[in-house]
């Protein structure tokens, strides 16, 4: 199964509480930080919720 590389590219300062919590649940804290997560429907949903704050690519 493939992985997703998720990178935080925008600040969560003006994001809603739900969006900030989603970014934190992905394991992202600083702009430019990247994490690799399993490619499943739960991760895709989380990325879709904060798509304006992160970039996502398949690895």
């Amino acid at each position: 199964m493939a992985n997703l590389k998720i990178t935080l590219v925008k600040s969560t300062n003006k994001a809603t509480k739900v969006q900030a919590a989603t970014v934190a649940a992905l394991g992202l804290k600083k702009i430019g930080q990247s994490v690799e997560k399993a490619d499943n429907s739960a991760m895709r949903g989380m990325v879709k919720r904060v798509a304006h704050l992160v970039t996502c690519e398949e690895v």
Side-chain angles (χ1 to χ4, degrees):
M1 181 179 277
N3 285 338
L4 295 175
K5 182 178 179 183
I6 306 163
T7 305
L8 185 63
V9 293
K10 288 192 177 179
S11 174
T12 58
N13 286 345
K14 298 273 180 156
T16 64
K17 288 182 182 180
V18 172
Q19 291 168 345
T22 302
V23 169
L26 286 169
L28 299 169
K29 296 178 180 165
K30 294 183 177 183
I31 295 174
Q33 183 181 6
S34 297
V35 293
E36 285 195 22
K37 298 288 185 177
D39 186 6
N40 55 38
S41 59
M43 287 300 135
R44 292 276 180 169
M46 292 173 79
V47 168
K48 186 175 179 182
R49 175 172 278 188
V50 293
H52 60 289
L53 300 175
V54 300
T55 58
C56 181
E57 60 186 47
E58 291 185 19
V59 178

